Every structure is written in C-alpha cells, then in structure tokens.
Amino acid sequence: MATFRPIATLVSGLLRPPMLELIAEHRGATTPDVSVLMPLFETEAMVAEAVGSVLAQEGSIAEVIISDDGSSDDTLAAVRAHVEAYVGPHTVRIFRTRRRLRIDHLGALVEAAMARILVQAHGDDVSVPGRLAVLLDVHRRTG
C-alpha cells in the first residue's frame, strides 16, 4: 500500500527550506514498523536514559527520529555519544532544528518520519520494555 503525505506537507516542503538539519544516522537492518518521534529541549541530564530505553525495545523495528530544538545545554552531545555506541536493528536519525521551532517541532518530525505508525517519546520519557511491541500489536489487532 502506498503512503501518501498531505498536500500541504508537500507544498510547504517546496516553498520553505527544511526545518531540520541531519546530524548523524545509523541505518537499521530492515524497514521500520514504527517511527518514534523524540523532540528534545534542555534534557541533557536524562536524555541518555530516554534514548537508551527506546533503542532497547524488542519485538518491533523502529525508526527513531531524535531532534534537538536549540538546547543551550549539552543535550545534543549526550544524544550523539549514546547513539554512536549503538549497534542494533533500529534506524536512528539525529537532527537539530535550524531555528527554535517550539510547538512546530513535532510537526517537523512527523514530516521526517518514514513509517505509517508514529509513537511519541521525549527526552525525559523512559519507555518500558516492550512498549513499541505492545503498541504495534494493538494497532494490528484494531487497525
């Protein structure tokens, strides 16, 4: 089944420069089942645990889209250090915003997502083991 993006997304992408700048990428083994959207701002102290909990997910393959929205602390450096050490099946893309987006940050991550199923997590959210597998199972059973 083809995935279609809303026309406004396509038009807006043509009329304005991209809001996100790709910083680093780790390609996973297969096509992701879900995209995990992780907008970050000033979460240096806890972001490694939050990212680690998403990367440790089993039972589904994820595209993890991590984006820092102009933090003045070392949030982005903490994420990069954690992801550089990652070896696993999930695709990970790290972005930073070209300008402070605030509420529009999540929309920019939605535009960057490849999977049809989107899951939100933040820099201070720790995902319990199996979170993505349960969400995917519920989606498959209920559509």
Side-chain angles (χ1 to χ4, degrees):
M1 173 185 264
T3 300
F4 297 97
R5 297 278 184 197
I7 213 82
T9 300
L10 294 175
V11 172
S12 66
L14 296 173
L15 297 177
R16 65 184 153 97
M19 293 187 283
L20 302 175
E21 176 185 357
L22 183 63
I23 301 299
E25 186 171 35
H26 165 83
R27 285 285 178 186
T30 63
T31 303
D33 300 313
V34 299
S35 290
V36 179
L37 312 178
M38 293 191 78
L40 309 176
F41 183 71
E42 307 286 351
T43 56
E44 174 189 5
M46 52 204 123
V47 74
E49 184 178 7
V51 170
S53 71
V54 172
L55 296 179
Q57 294 292 306
E58 296 178 349
S60 67
I61 301 297
E63 168 198 35
V64 184
I65 303 172
I66 304 167
S67 180
D68 182 58
D69 195 21
S71 297
S72 61
D73 65 1
D74 284 330
T75 295
L76 188 58
V79 168
R80 288 184 77 167
H82 197 76
V83 171
E84 284 174 3
Y86 174 69
V87 177
H90 305 302
T91 293
V92 184
R93 293 189 292 153
I94 303 172
F95 293 93
R96 70 174 157 216
T97 57
R98 295 184 184 276
R99 62 177 170 76
R100 183 90 164 86
L101 298 177
R102 293 178 175 81
I103 194 70
D104 294 329
H105 194 189
L106 187 59
L109 298 181
V110 169
E111 288 183 21
M114 292 186 295
R116 293 178 54 212
I117 301 169
L118 307 178
V119 176
Q120 191 171 346
H122 290 269
D124 58 353
D125 292 343
V126 177
S127 294
V128 297
R131 175 187 182 212
L132 297 181
V134 168
L135 291 172
L136 188 59
D137 181 57
V138 168
H139 177 75
R140 286 179 176 153
R141 284 186 288 118
T142 62

